[in-house]
Amino acid sequence: DDAELQQLTKKLHAKTSGNVLFVLQAVEQLKRQNILIFSRITFQWEWKLLEEGEDLPISDNIVAVIESQIRELPPELQHVLAVAAYIRSNFCVHTLHQVLADDDPASIYSDLHAVIDFLEQGVRERLLVPDSPTQYSFAHDRVQQAAHGLIPFGETRDKFRVRIGHCLLRMHQTASTTHDDGMLFVAADHLNSVQTKDHVFSTSMNLEVGEKALQMAAFAPAASYLRKAASGTKRIRDPWGDHYDVCLRLYRARSSVELSLGNFALGYSLGDELILRAKSVSERLPTYLSMANALGREDKLL
């Protein structure tokens, strides 16, 4: 009946604003609640008519709906989706496999084909989309958000993120072939999400990531990572004495990025500190050049 179909369509549209993914999730929820049923007699879909003014029993929180759907899936698939969600919205099968296997090399996740089977199941559940034979994406950012929610807040999530961060960092540092530099930033963001007592590690990691961002001319992210690295040196008793090379690289990179961002006073101050502490002219030269270029830009702005 067209009138009945129009009633259902209007109510679905009101709940989902016409978003295709949300419509599919809403329809799946109606099927689970036996409101939408495929008749084996008429061989067509049937649904229970709603009273005038009655709303569809679908949550307005689509993330909660998707999370509820995911929690009904096998635990192994839930874990795969959760780990993938904390890697990136689009991820490489091999990266996901290594992160999964890193936690328990003897688990089912050590088998790459098993991981791919789980991902294909996620595709059939309309949660994932295959971009290529080795690349998958979440069907929507709300799906990734729902998969995030599978890991409880607090210490459990903190430990989970730190484990993934360390694994991605090791993979990046030991890769012998071309690798995805984006994973370095994902690793740093996970490791920076919790406080650490290993300030030397934190400083070195954020310096490495900041230098990589600087090479990519991503000055704002570079400044953020390098400031975190500088914060770590404040918790080290004698950073210049015990970690001279790290401090030299840090001050050089920070001076360069702050000058590039137009923070001239701070950039010159950092450069002056490096020039004062550097042991040779060759160590001072890159900063001399950076400051000279900045002076030229600053004159043009005046």
Side-chain angles (χ1 to χ4, degrees):
D1 186 284
D2 289 343
E4 294 176 3
L5 180 60
Q6 191 175 42
Q7 179 202 38
L8 180 63
T9 302
K10 284 183 177 180
K11 289 185 179 295
L12 276 172
H13 187 275
K15 278 288 186 181
T16 64
S17 299
N19 183 290
V20 175
L21 172 67
F22 298 169
V23 170
L24 292 172
Q25 298 297 335
V27 168
E28 288 295 329
Q29 189 174 5
L30 292 177
K31 286 165 58 181
R32 290 196 297 271
Q33 295 174 346
N34 291 322
I35 293 175
L36 186 62
I37 305 167
F38 186 78
S39 173
R40 298 297 178 182
I41 299 174
T42 62
F43 293 99
Q44 62 184 13
W45 288 98
E46 299 177 353
W47 55 91
K48 296 178 182 178
L49 289 174
L50 301 171
E51 299 294 334
E52 187 68 31
E54 184 180 359
D55 202 3
L56 287 174
I58 300 172
S59 171
D60 290 320
N61 185 345
I62 192 65
V63 175
V65 172
I66 299 172
E67 187 174 331
S68 174
Q69 177 193 350
I70 294 175
R71 290 189 183 279
E72 294 178 4
L73 299 173
E76 296 83 3
L77 177 54
Q78 290 186 44
H79 184 61
V80 169
L81 292 171
V83 172
Y86 281 86
I87 292 178
R88 209 162 54 183
S89 59
N90 61 306
F91 52 90
C92 171
V93 170
H94 299 289
T95 299
L96 175 62
H97 171 237
Q98 285 185 261
V99 174
L100 287 164
D102 181 72
D103 189 38
D104 184 2
S107 70
I108 189 174
Y109 307 116
S110 62
D111 182 354
L112 177 61
H113 296 292
V115 172
I116 293 174
D117 287 343
F118 285 128
L119 294 175
E120 286 300 315
Q121 186 176 347
V123 172
R124 291 192 294 273
E125 294 289 341
R126 301 191 182 93
L127 299 171
L128 298 174
V129 176
D131 300 321
S132 73
T134 60
Q135 197 84 14
Y136 287 78
S137 297
F138 283 94
H140 194 277
D141 59 352
R142 296 296 182 89
V143 176
Q144 184 183 12
Q145 186 180 346
H148 263 268
L150 296 174
I151 308 300
F153 278 106
E155 186 177 356
T156 300
R157 181 172 294 188
D158 289 345
K159 289 181 177 179
F160 185 79
R161 294 190 67 178
V162 167
R163 181 179 65 78
I164 291 178
H166 277 298
C167 181
L168 291 175
L169 185 62
R170 283 196 305 274
M171 288 167 57
H172 184 275
Q173 292 174 337
T174 59
S176 57
T177 56
T178 302
H179 48 262
D180 182 358
D181 286 330
M183 288 297 98
L184 178 61
F185 298 101
V186 174
D189 290 343
H190 282 314
L191 295 171
N192 283 330
S193 69
V194 297
Q195 291 186 340
T196 179
K197 294 181 180 179
D198 191 346
H199 304 303
V200 174
F201 166 79
S202 177
T203 297
S204 298
M205 177 198 67
N206 281 296
L207 172 59
E208 179 183 356
V209 182
E211 288 176 328
K212 176 60 68 175
L214 184 56
Q215 291 172 13
M216 299 166 65
F219 298 122
S224 177
Y225 289 116
L226 292 171
R227 287 165 190 163
K228 287 184 174 70
S231 177
T233 62
K234 294 176 182 178
R235 294 173 173 82
I236 300 172
R237 180 171 298 177
D238 184 11
W240 277 99
D242 295 335
H243 306 282
Y244 176 81
D245 290 338
V246 168
C247 288
L248 188 70
R249 288 167 51 203
L250 176 58
Y251 274 75
R252 181 181 294 149
R254 282 202 72 199
S255 177
S256 176
V257 76
E258 296 296 350
L259 291 172
S260 297
L261 289 170
N263 301 326
F264 296 112
L266 177 57
Y268 293 140
S269 174
L270 291 164
D272 289 341
E273 181 73 10
L274 181 145
I275 290 168
L276 179 65
R277 292 180 177 273
K279 297 176 181 178
S280 68
V281 174
S282 62
E283 290 177 343
R284 298 186 184 99
L285 185 58
T287 301
Y288 279 134
L289 294 174
S290 181
M291 293 170 73
N293 288 331
L295 282 169
R297 293 198 307 274
E298 192 175 11
D299 287 341
K300 290 180 181 179
L301 294 175
L302 297 177

